[in-house]
């Protein structure tokens, strides 16, 4: 019985399969080509691993946060497949998956900080510690909130993951509040969401995750409501006016 | 505020082509002006400056159209039917606005709160004569 996973919330799309106690994965070759490539990629992987669709037990999907369009492509694709195959869906929060990296924590770093670029100085992110404890829960934050939390918890060695690095690396490296902190940034191969990591997370935390019917699966944008953003920026009450 | 007097469409074309030469990936141009001031016409000439050979048509109903035949992808928005920056986000515009092409947004004033901070706004006004326009910008 096989488990399929689809990951489309980041710049590279990927699919993974768990079957016969083995993990396998395939990724798209170009960025932002999820719509074109994700279903053919599923086909290719199942063919290569000689698994028929009727052998699939469930499909796991990253429901976000992340790229708006990417989330929608993944969610719609998985809902459709699950409906056709009559199997359940395991929706997973994109940030929570990075707890897998907390397992890699050695003397090189003591905390994992994952940040996705939400633009305008904002990130979707979270911070996890050595025992997978939640130092900062998955959420939508200002980059400065993440930095403040690292300082507040006195984290001395932190490794960053996620495409937020590409946007904010300089701001993080130059942050005064992190003076003296050993900051490392995951290398490019390790930096982005991937379907195999998603699948490993699902296998490890099977007991905690819910398998839903396709109708119940919803995207998780985790976007700050516009009202909150405007409250914070002091632009509440300004109208556009046609 | 910079000003440019447009006496006829040739002037619009010159302006558009010159502007196009300075554009880079993820640049966003916000066009603000009443009906008939020539927002789509200016967009056509910016597209020409980018080497796009496809015909530019108004995206009033589709909201956004992509053109990929130029030196940079062009994402042409007409947000007349939207009411705020939130509407813009809801259609996934962020992937375009912060992407690898050039975005031109007609009626940008309607969605100002949803546009990137470095958006280049151009204000188009009627001039004295029938074909005259005045373009203003401060970037």
């Amino acid at each position: 019985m096989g488990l399929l996973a689809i990951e489309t919330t980041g710049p590279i799309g990927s699919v993974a399969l768990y079957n016969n106690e083995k993990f396998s994965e395939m990724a798209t070759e170009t960025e932002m080509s999820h719509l074109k490539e994700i279903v053919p990629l599923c086909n290719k992987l199942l063919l290569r691993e000689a698994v028929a669709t009727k052998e699939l037990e469930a499909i796991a999907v990253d429901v976000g946060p992340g790229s708006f369009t990417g989330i929608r492509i993944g969610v719609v694709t998985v809902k459709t497949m699950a409906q056709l195959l009559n199997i359940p869906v395991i929706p997973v929060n994109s940030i929570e998956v990075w707890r897998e990296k907390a397992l890699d924590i050695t003397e090189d770093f003591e905390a994992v900080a994952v940040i996705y670029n939400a633009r305008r100085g904002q990130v979707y992110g979270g911070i996890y510690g050595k025992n997978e404890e939640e130092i900062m829960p998955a959420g939508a934050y200002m980059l400065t909130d993440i930095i403040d939390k690292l300082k507040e918890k006195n984290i001395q060695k932190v490794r960053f993951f996620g495409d937020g690095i590409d946007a904010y690396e300089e701001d993080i490296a130059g942050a005064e509040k992190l003076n003296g902190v050993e900051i490392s940034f995951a290398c490019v191969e390790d930096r982005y969401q991937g379907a195999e990591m998603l699948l490993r997370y699902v296998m490890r935390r099977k007991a905690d995750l819910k398998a839903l019917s396709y109708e119940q699966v919803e995207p998780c944008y985790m976007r700050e409501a516009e009202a909150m953003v405007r409250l914070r920026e002091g632009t509440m009450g300004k109208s556009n006016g046609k | 505020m910079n000003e440019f007097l447009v006496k006829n469409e040739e002037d619009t074309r010159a302006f558009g082509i010159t502007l196009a030469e300075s554009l880079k990936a993820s640049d966003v141009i916000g066009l603000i002006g009443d009906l008939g001031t020539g927002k789509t016409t200016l967009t056509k000439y910016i597209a020409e400056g980018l080497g796009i050979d496809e015909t530019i048509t108004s995206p009033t109903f589709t909201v956004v159209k992509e053109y990929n035949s130029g030196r940079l992808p062009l994402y042409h928005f007409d947000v007349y039917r939207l009411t705020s920056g939130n509407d813009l986000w809801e259609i996934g515009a962020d992937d375009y606005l912060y992407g690898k092409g050039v975005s031109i947004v007609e009626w940008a004033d309607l969605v100002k709160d949803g546009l990137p901070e470095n958006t280049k706004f151009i204000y188009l006004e009627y001039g004295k004569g029938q074909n005259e326009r005045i373009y203003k910008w401060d970037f």
Side-chain angles (χ1 to χ4, degrees):
Chain A
M1 283 301 236
L3 199 58
L4 183 69
I6 291 186
E7 169 55 74
T8 53
T9 68
I12 305 285
S14 53
V15 304
L17 188 63
Y18 179 76
N19 187 55
N20 283 336
E21 300 183 6
K22 177 182 144 214
F23 288 95
S24 51
E25 182 188 63
M26 286 180 94
T28 61
E29 282 167 28
T30 47
E31 278 189 25
M32 303 316 287
S33 60
H34 307 350
L35 187 59
K36 249 195 331 187
E37 298 194 36
I38 211 71
V39 173
L41 215 55
C42 284
N43 275 330
K44 266 196 215 149
L45 184 62
L46 290 173
L47 218 69
R48 191 185 81 186
E49 301 299 314
V51 173
T53 50
K54 65 175 191 280
E55 293 173 61
L56 294 175
E57 208 180 309
I59 312 180
V61 63
D62 183 344
V63 292
S67 154
F68 179 90
T69 310
I71 292 171
R72 287 163 93 89
I73 291 169
V75 169
V76 166
T77 302
V78 171
K79 283 168 74 120
T80 309
M81 287 168 113
Q83 181 183 11
L84 292 172
L85 298 174
N86 199 23
I87 53 180
V89 178
I90 304 170
V92 181
N93 179 296
S94 202
I95 304 294
E96 296 272 336
V97 173
W98 289 92
R99 289 171 184 266
E100 287 303 288
K101 290 300 177 189
L103 303 178
D104 289 345
I105 289 179
T106 59
E107 68 286 344
D108 288 336
F109 51 103
E110 60 185 84
V112 165
V114 53
I115 48 170
Y116 294 167
N117 184 9
R119 286 134 190 176
R120 305 179 184 88
Q122 293 162 36
V123 298
Y124 302 115
I127 306 173
Y128 301 105
K130 222 188 306 232
N131 300 312
E132 241 190 291
E133 76 269 25
E134 210 172 63
I135 296 173
M136 190 156 192
Y141 302 105
M142 297 299 291
L143 176 67
T144 46
D145 296 332
I146 303 276
I147 292 173
D148 286 346
K149 183 59 81 173
L150 289 170
K151 177 151 172 77
E152 178 200 315
K153 296 291 182 179
N154 202 25
I155 305 287
Q156 291 305 303
K157 294 182 185 180
V158 60
R159 176 161 295 171
F160 281 85
F161 295 87
D163 68 17
I165 297 174
D166 304 329
Y168 299 120
E169 182 169 351
E170 280 178 32
D171 298 293
I172 296 167
E176 258 190 66
K177 293 196 177 170
L178 298 179
N179 256 340
V181 172
E182 235 178 87
I183 303 171
S184 57
F185 297 105
C187 62
V188 167
E189 294 76 44
D190 231 13
R191 185 177 297 184
Y192 307 115
Q193 302 88 308
E196 183 174 326
M197 183 170 71
L198 186 100
L199 212 43
R200 287 183 183 276
Y201 174 79
V202 168
M203 292 305 297
R204 202 162 55 81
R205 300 192 127 232
K206 253 194 300 219
D208 306 323
L209 297 173
K210 293 206 188 89
L212 303 178
S213 96
Y214 75 91
E215 300 122 317
Q216 300 170 295
V217 177
E218 295 284 317
C220 173
Y221 299 117
M222 259 193 184
R223 182 174 178 244
E224 260 187 292
E226 190 200 354
M228 290 307 293
V229 176
R230 297 181 78 176
L231 199 65
R232 189 166 29 76
E233 292 179 350
T235 55
M236 198 70 143
K238 279 204 189 145
S239 69
N240 288 316
K242 245 198 214 189
Chain B
M1 192 68 103
N2 302 297
E3 261 190 48
F4 177 70
L5 174 62
V6 170
K7 290 185 289 327
N8 50 46
E9 201 167 313
E10 268 308 302
D11 287 345
T12 299
R13 182 164 181 270
F15 185 91
I17 292 182
T18 306
L19 176 60
E21 283 161 14
S22 69
L23 296 175
K24 356 174 252 329
S26 84
D27 271 345
V28 178
I29 298 176
L31 299 180
I32 299 178
D34 286 336
L35 275 167
T37 47
K39 298 185 289 298
T40 307
T41 307
L42 177 56
T43 303
K44 266 191 352 214
Y45 292 121
I46 298 173
E48 186 185 326
L50 289 172
I52 293 167
D53 51 22
E54 297 149 273
T55 310
I56 305 294
T57 54
S58 170
T60 307
F61 294 104
T62 54
V63 180
V64 60
K65 284 182 73 163
E66 290 184 45
Y67 298 92
N68 291 299
S69 61
R71 76 172 168 85
L72 290 169
L74 173 65
Y75 310 122
H76 179 197
F77 290 81
D78 179 330
V79 299
Y80 189 74
R81 296 198 296 128
L82 308 184
T83 52
S84 70
N86 195 52
D87 285 353
L88 201 57
W89 181 84
E90 289 267 323
I91 61 171
D94 267 13
D95 288 336
Y96 286 120
L97 296 172
Y98 295 90
K100 305 214 160 114
V102 168
S103 300
I104 300 178
V105 182
E106 295 191 35
W107 297 100
D109 45 329
L110 302 176
V111 295
K112 230 170 178 168
D113 55 327
L115 295 175
E117 258 181 50
N118 60 346
T119 299
K120 300 176 205 243
F121 292 102
I122 302 177
Y123 302 85
L124 295 81
E125 294 167 15
Y126 282 108
K128 289 197 209 112
Q130 196 188 22
N131 293 326
E132 274 186 15
R133 302 288 184 274
I134 303 168
Y135 295 165
K136 295 182 179 162
W137 69 100
D138 60 12
F139 54 85

